[in-house]
Amino acid sequence: MPTEDATSAAVREAQPHQARHIAESFGSNPERYDRVRPRYPDAMVRRIAAAVPGPDLLAVGCGTGIDARQFQAAGCRLLGIDPDPRMAAFARRGGLDVEVATFEDWDSAGRTFDGVVAGQSWHWIDPVAGAAKAAGVLRPGGRLAVYWNVFDPAPDLAERFRAVHERELPDLPRNPWARSAISAYQGVIDQVAGGIRDRGGFGEPDQWRFDWTCEYTRDEWLEQMSTSGDANVLPRERLARLLAGLGAVIDERGGRFTMGYAAIVLTARAVGAPR
């Protein structure tokens, strides 16, 4: 398993789309990824589906098809794009049409869509190039909607998780529990919004938020943590120590806990020709 030095971690924090080795690392176990990664709240899916002018969506960085299947259930038709052939193969087995490419290099072949959606993936895309590509494939009045499930734990749980990361990974510059995940993601969201504004051809971006919760057992949480970008760049022995520490925290809480989430959507409507 590869390791991540302080320089690459700092780059990922400031410009995550440059960390291609992490962006393309999630397909090592697509079955587990699909099984344990959280879904999106139905209210979010319904609002996006209602905001696009038609049913044809392009799912960027579709991974195993978690959100794509939710949009299919809401009556949408989807084409997926993902740079990892392992993830794409899994999504195809679930009934999704997927093409393998990075979004920046993908050839639309003249195809257009009512909406471009991206779940937990747009931060791996250059914000200006991504906005330009989306503008080029959206039909008049079409909508770009990118969204993330963001942890929103109880303060005492966040503090305990922070302490474990600090103890087990003291040399890494990024502790995901050192500050609110929502405030951390806001920097990424602001970059994405800036790319949309710089590109032109879109209305002013809107931000929507949908709060929800999910109950986890110890094993369920540790399995999900094993699919994170952080886990994918840690040596196995360090990951094992980290997971053991997090598991001990959950054991002290009776072996299960409730994690708060905020599903945050950044969306903008295509309104005309770019500058």
Side-chain angles (χ1 to χ4, degrees):
M1 182 178 291
T3 61
E4 179 178 41
D5 60 24
T7 300
S8 61
V11 167
R12 176 161 63 97
E13 183 80 1
Q15 298 290 338
H17 66 274
Q18 295 179 8
R20 296 304 314 168
H21 66 296
I22 301 174
E24 298 176 17
S25 69
F26 295 98
S28 59
N29 191 334
E31 291 80 7
R32 180 179 63 180
Y33 185 98
D34 191 80
R35 183 177 68 254
V36 305
R37 280 293 181 112
R39 275 48 182 166
Y40 295 91
D42 290 340
M44 185 204 84
V45 174
R46 289 195 301 268
R47 184 166 182 185
I48 294 173
V52 295
D56 295 325
L57 304 183
L58 178 68
V60 177
C62 67
T64 60
I66 289 172
D67 55 326
R69 294 193 300 269
Q70 290 186 260
F71 278 106
Q72 285 178 324
C76 298
R77 296 188 295 263
L78 287 96
L79 172 66
I81 305 169
D82 199 273
D84 191 323
R86 299 167 298 182
M87 300 288 257
F90 184 97
R92 290 187 191 113
R93 291 197 296 272
L96 185 65
D97 184 13
V98 186
E99 298 178 6
V100 177
T102 63
F103 187 46
E104 295 93 332
D105 294 334
W106 174 69
D107 182 4
S108 69
R111 291 168 291 182
T112 59
F113 302 85
D114 298 304
V116 173
V117 299
Q120 221 75 23
S121 63
W122 199 262
H123 53 287
W124 302 122
I125 296 167
D126 180 277
V128 176
K133 194 80 168 193
V137 300
L138 281 170
R139 294 168 185 159
R143 182 171 289 273
L144 171 64
V146 301
Y147 38 90
W148 296 265
N149 268 324
V150 182
F151 298 135
D152 188 20
D156 64 319
L157 181 65
E159 173 56 27
R160 295 298 306 281
F161 281 175
R162 182 204 62 77
V164 171
H165 273 257
E166 187 174 273
R167 182 182 73 237
E168 299 298 340
L169 305 173
D171 53 330
L172 290 188
R174 177 181 178 273
N175 185 331
W177 309 102
R179 58 174 171 155
S180 162
I182 293 173
S183 65
Y185 263 87
Q186 193 59 51
V188 172
I189 292 166
D190 290 345
Q191 284 188 353
V192 173
I196 292 170
R197 295 187 185 102
D198 289 347
R199 173 60 175 87
F202 287 97
E204 178 63 17
D206 292 326
Q207 190 168 316
W208 304 337
R209 174 170 169 163
F210 302 84
D211 293 313
W212 64 286
T213 61
C214 184
E215 185 170 304
Y216 289 95
T217 65
R218 177 188 191 275
D219 290 346
E220 288 168 346
W221 180 255
L222 298 186
E223 191 170 29
Q224 185 189 171
M225 288 296 95
S226 297
T227 70
S228 71
D230 288 329
N232 286 338
V233 296
L234 286 174
R236 294 186 185 278
E237 63 276 9
R238 299 192 75 188
L239 176 61
R241 291 200 303 269
L242 174 65
L243 295 179
L246 296 174
V249 170
I250 300 168
D251 287 339
E252 292 171 3
R253 303 173 75 93
R256 61 192 316 117
F257 71 99
T258 299
M259 174 59 73
Y261 282 96
I264 299 178
V265 182
L266 186 74
T267 181
R269 180 174 175 271
V271 296
R275 293 193 299 268

